[in-house]
Each structure stands twice: as structure tokens, then as C-alpha cells.
Amino acid sequence: MVESKPLTRLNSLSDFQDGGPSHQRRSSLQFSFRSTFNNNTANPERLAKENDMNGFRQFVGLYKNFPLADDVLKGASYRQEAFKESGKKQLNHVRGTDGWFRSMLTLEVRAIDNYFPAWLMVTLNALLASFLSEVFEMKMGHAIIKHWDTVYSLVLKTSLAFLLVFRLNRCALRFWEARGYWGAVTHLTRNLVSGILMYCRHSPQHRDQAIRWASAFCVASMHFIRSEHEYNYDELAGFLTESQINRMKDANHAALFAASMCRYHLHKAFRIDAFTAPQKAHAYAIQLNELESRVGRLVEQVSGMEKIRSTPLPVAYVTHLRTFLFTYLCFFPYAWVDDWGWTTVPMVAFTAFALFGIEGCSSEVEIPFNRSRANHLALDAYCMIILESVQGLIVQDANLCTQTELDQSFLEEEIKKMEPPRTSSSDDSSIGMSLTEKDEFTFSA
């Protein structure tokens, strides 16, 4: 494993001159760049050191020839703060992996507001049934209760259980399908940016613009799928300017606008005209087709999320389930009040809480894109991760290019050191005269 101690040698601006390394500290700078790509960078301590090193490189102007890397590093802190603030509802809530009692003793994530009015009406109805039975002694016959028990056990309970399980299963599948779309956006964005960095070195301006718009695609998709028309400019700090963000948010479909701008700059970077060599034109066509396919797959993911948002479960099924469930719970206390007495009220309230809770959870995760719901997808966190990944790819590419330049310069210096010493100018002139006189003597002979 590469030791990190040599990194401490880069501790002052005297190590650099005019944005580049001095001859004395060139080897230490080469080491710092190589340490960037060590496999152990997943270690949090090494990751923190590398972030500090990237900030130092940016501070001394080492990325002055890489404007995109310089911009994204300057805006990194703003982006993180913006996403953490806007996504705090999903980022700070209790998760299922936080422990048994911590996840059990919580109310916010139970989505009680989805079914509280219905639960309250059922509980009051149970109170009314208990009041009529215990105060006014309005009892039901044992024969009637026996028939009710048969109906509840064989018909209502079985049918209701099937309806609730089916509803919850369908909504859970929709939730994971939406999560899958965002997972695809993550890896497609990473692959797209990697491909642009690799294939578009011949056109730095259009390459950088294509990466900027490809990175903005995830943020545009997040706001579009949430039907949000106001953007926080800090979310794309270092990637897009305020005027570019305004153009994107004013578009009819922000995600498609970002994708079309990325395509525009890709076509500009791989432009083929009459002066393009046939071999280069063939290579350009293959590379452009590969990158275009990745942009197209990104658009497919947004289309899938639109499908989930605009197509909930059929209202006929939901209406039947809620009517059936509410009716079942309303008649439930009258069937058991003679045996349970005042205990009927808490028993019915608990049963209603359990059954309404299943239906409430189903409706909670059916369209999981709301910023204000703790159980919905943490889209802000996903966007922050995507942009951090893109930043890492951009900085890594800049470091590789800088390392190559440093190695080339170092190699040239070593070659110069290995060359034999040249003679003085006076010796050269004397040798030249003697050779000239010899040639003249030979010619005259």
C-alpha cells in the first residue's frame, strides 16, 4: 500500500511557480497524482486526504488548463449543502436498518395522515356500539352472532386479506421499479461522462459542455418528476450557469432539454465534413453512436418514471378495497360487543390501525417522488451522489493528463542529462575551418 506521508511535503506555495511545479518538488507532485488512483482510496482517511489534495491543487492553479475540473471543485461544497438541505426529510428519517426498537417506536414514517380520518370514524363507531350495548343494553342474539362469525371468518377475512396483500404487493413493485430507474440513471450518467472524457479529447470546449449538460440531466429529472418549477442554483454549482439553469427550467420538459443540449455538443464534437479523413470519420461515427445510445437510455429512465407517476392503480380496485375495508371495520364492533363490552373500543381501534396501516403504506409508496414524504425516494441524495461521481471522473481525468505532462517533461529532462557534453563554439569553428580547407584541397587536386 502506498504511504501517504510524502503528501505532507506539498505544504507551501513555494513548491509551485506560475501554476506549475518547481524542479525540486516535481517528484513529490508526481507521487501525489499517482496516489490518487491507488485502490485504497475507498478508505475514509485516504479519501479525506485526497479531497484536501484536490483543493490544494485547485488553489495553486494546477487546474487552470482544465476549466471544468476547476469549476466543479469550486462548486462542490455549495452542491452538497444545497442537496442536504433540500433532501433532509428523506436523509434524516429512521430507516429499516436502524434497529428493531428504533424503527418500531416511530410515528412519522407510518403515514398515519393517509388513513387517520377513516380510523377515527371506525373508532368512534366502536365507542357508539359499546355505549348502546352497555348503557342501553341493546344486545344481539347468540344465533345472530354465530352467523356473523361464520361470515367474517370464511368470506370477509379471506377476501379482505387477498385485496390488501395484492394492493401492497403492487405498490411495493412500483416503488422498487422507480428505484431501479434511478439506479440506471446513476450508472448511465457515469458511463456517459466516462465515454465523453475518453473520446472527445480532440474538442475540449464541446466535451466540457456535453459533460455539464449530461450531469445536469439527473437534477432536471428530479425536479420534473416532482413537478417542481423552482430550482436552487447551488444544486448545479460548477456545472451550469444561472442563465443555463433558467433556460432549462423554462423548457417544457427540463430533462429532455438537458439531453438535447448534451446531444448538440456531442454532434459538434464529432462533426464530420468533406475535409475529415475517412478513417477518422468512421471512428467518429462509432463513438458518437455509442454515446448517443447512452443518452437515449437516460431518456428511457425518465419515461419510465413518468409512467409510474401518471398511472396509479385502477381507481375501481382502490375504491372497492377501501369500501370493503371500511364496511368490515364498521360492522366489526357490533359482532363482538356482547362478549367484549367496553374492551371493544381499544380492540377495534387496534385492528383498524393494523388494517388501515397496510392500505396507508400502499398508498404511501405508490408514487414515491414527493420531497415532503419521509418514505419516498431520496432523489436529492441520488443526485448528490451522481454529481460527486462525475466530479471524481473529471478530476481524475485532469490528474491523468497533468501526470502525463509531468512524466513527459521529466523524461525530456533525463534525456538531456544523458546527452554527451557539447564542445565550445570556438572549437566548433576551428574544426569547421579545417574541414573546409581539406575539402578545398581535395577539390583542387
Side-chain angles (χ1 to χ4, degrees):
M1 183 176 66
V2 181
E3 296 293 334
S4 59
K5 292 182 179 179
L7 294 177
T8 58
R9 297 175 62 186
L10 299 175
N11 54 7
S12 67
L13 293 179
S14 61
D15 292 343
F16 298 87
Q17 294 178 355
D18 299 329
S22 64
H23 295 286
Q24 293 78 8
R25 300 299 187 184
R26 187 186 303 275
S27 60
S28 63
L29 181 62
Q30 288 174 329
F31 178 85
S32 70
F33 276 109
R34 291 192 182 99
S35 67
T36 305
F37 315 115
N38 189 274
N39 293 330
N40 296 321
T41 52
N43 188 301
E45 295 181 0
R46 295 188 59 83
L47 214 50
K49 291 181 179 179
E50 185 54 39
N51 290 334
D52 294 340
M53 182 58 64
N54 286 335
F56 182 73
R57 294 168 186 156
Q58 179 206 1
F59 177 75
V60 299
L62 199 60
Y63 295 127
K64 66 178 182 179
N65 295 327
F66 303 95
L68 180 58
D70 191 57
D71 290 343
V72 297
L73 286 175
K74 288 180 180 177
S77 59
Y78 297 100
R79 292 194 303 271
Q80 289 185 2
E81 291 298 325
F83 284 124
K84 288 179 180 179
E85 177 62 27
S86 60
K88 59 184 178 182
K89 175 64 74 170
Q90 287 89 14
L91 292 174
N92 298 330
H93 77 87
V94 177
R95 300 180 182 276
T97 57
D98 289 342
W100 180 273
F101 290 102
R102 187 180 179 189
S103 60
M104 183 177 65
L105 302 176
T106 181
L107 293 177
E108 182 183 8
V109 298
R110 292 183 181 274
I112 296 178
D113 56 325
N114 288 339
Y115 57 89
F116 180 76
W119 175 85
L120 182 60
M121 292 183 64
V122 168
T123 304
L124 292 177
N125 178 68
L127 180 61
L128 175 62
S130 300
F131 185 80
L132 293 176
S133 175
E134 297 300 321
V135 176
F136 293 96
E137 298 183 356
M138 298 177 62
K139 306 288 184 179
M140 299 182 65
H142 290 283
I144 299 177
I145 294 177
K146 185 177 181 180
H147 290 302
W148 271 107
D149 185 32
T150 303
V151 173
Y152 265 65
S153 299
L154 298 180
V155 182
L156 296 181
K157 291 181 181 179
T158 304
S159 302
L160 185 60
F162 173 78
L163 290 172
L164 285 173
V165 169
F166 180 82
R167 165 107 163 116
L168 182 60
N169 183 54
R170 291 295 95 189
C171 293
L173 288 177
R174 291 165 60 90
F175 180 89
W176 287 113
E177 186 179 5
R179 181 63 184 91
Y181 287 134
W182 272 100
V185 170
T186 302
H187 74 76
L188 285 172
T189 303
R190 291 170 177 171
N191 292 336
L192 176 60
V193 172
S194 299
I196 296 174
L197 287 170
M198 178 63 66
Y199 300 137
C200 296
R201 297 184 185 276
H202 59 279
S203 181
Q205 182 178 1
H206 290 295
R207 175 198 63 189
D208 291 353
Q209 288 298 322
I211 292 175
R212 292 177 189 274
W213 287 108
S215 305
F217 180 86
C218 62
V219 179
S221 301
M222 175 186 68
H223 289 292
F224 175 78
I225 208 65
R226 285 175 168 174
S227 300
E228 297 174 342
H229 302 286
E230 295 298 327
Y231 285 43
N232 186 347
Y233 296 119
D234 287 342
E235 292 175 349
L236 289 169
F239 284 95
L240 296 182
T241 63
E242 291 188 9
S243 60
Q244 290 174 320
I245 296 176
N246 289 331
R247 288 170 56 200
M248 182 173 66
K249 75 176 185 178
D250 292 338
N252 186 40
H253 197 301
L256 290 182
F257 180 84
S260 65
M261 292 301 298
C262 180
R263 284 188 171 115
Y264 171 80
H265 289 286
L266 286 177
H267 280 269
K268 285 290 186 181
F270 293 101
R271 182 179 179 182
I272 300 174
D273 52 28
F275 301 99
T276 307
Q279 297 85 350
K280 183 180 289 187
H282 180 67
Y284 280 3
I286 295 175
Q287 293 165 359
L288 178 61
N289 183 62
E290 175 65 22
L291 297 176
E292 171 65 29
S293 66
R294 296 175 187 176
V295 177
R297 291 184 62 191
L298 277 174
V299 176
E300 289 179 6
Q301 311 313 311
V302 179
S303 300
M305 288 182 273
E306 289 182 78
K307 175 193 68 176
I308 294 177
R309 184 186 65 176
S310 60
T311 313
L313 287 180
V315 65
Y317 180 87
V318 177
T319 300
H320 183 70
L321 169 62
R322 290 177 176 175
T323 303
F324 193 13
L325 178 60
F326 188 78
T327 304
Y328 170 83
L329 292 173
C330 284
F331 281 101
F332 184 75
Y334 296 98
W336 297 102
V337 67
D338 289 349
D339 295 330
W340 293 350
W342 290 107
T343 314
T344 305
V345 178
M347 293 297 295
V348 170
F350 179 78
T351 304
F353 178 77
L355 297 179
F356 279 143
I358 297 175
E359 206 284 329
C361 293
S362 302
S363 60
E364 175 77 358
V365 301
E366 188 173 8
I367 305 176
F369 302 121
N370 197 326
R371 185 191 299 275
S372 61
R373 307 298 298 185
N375 291 291
H376 286 195
L377 295 176
L379 304 187
D380 300 270
Y382 303 157
C383 290
M384 181 172 64
I385 292 173
I386 291 173
L387 294 183
E388 285 182 353
S389 301
V390 172
Q391 173 185 314
L393 292 172
I394 295 170
V395 173
Q396 182 188 34
D397 183 75
N399 290 345
L400 282 172
C401 293
T402 306
Q403 181 66 60
T404 303
E405 295 175 359
L406 292 172
D407 290 341
Q408 183 65 27
S409 177
F410 182 77
L411 182 61
E412 291 175 357
E413 291 181 2
E414 292 297 322
I415 292 175
K416 289 180 181 179
K417 292 179 182 180
M418 295 174 62
E419 292 178 352
R422 298 182 61 184
T423 58
S424 61
S425 58
S426 59
D427 295 338
D428 292 342
S429 60
S430 62
I431 294 175
M433 289 298 294
S434 61
L435 291 176
T436 304
E437 291 175 357
K438 184 177 179 181
D439 292 339
E440 292 177 353
F441 176 77
T442 304
F443 177 76
S444 62

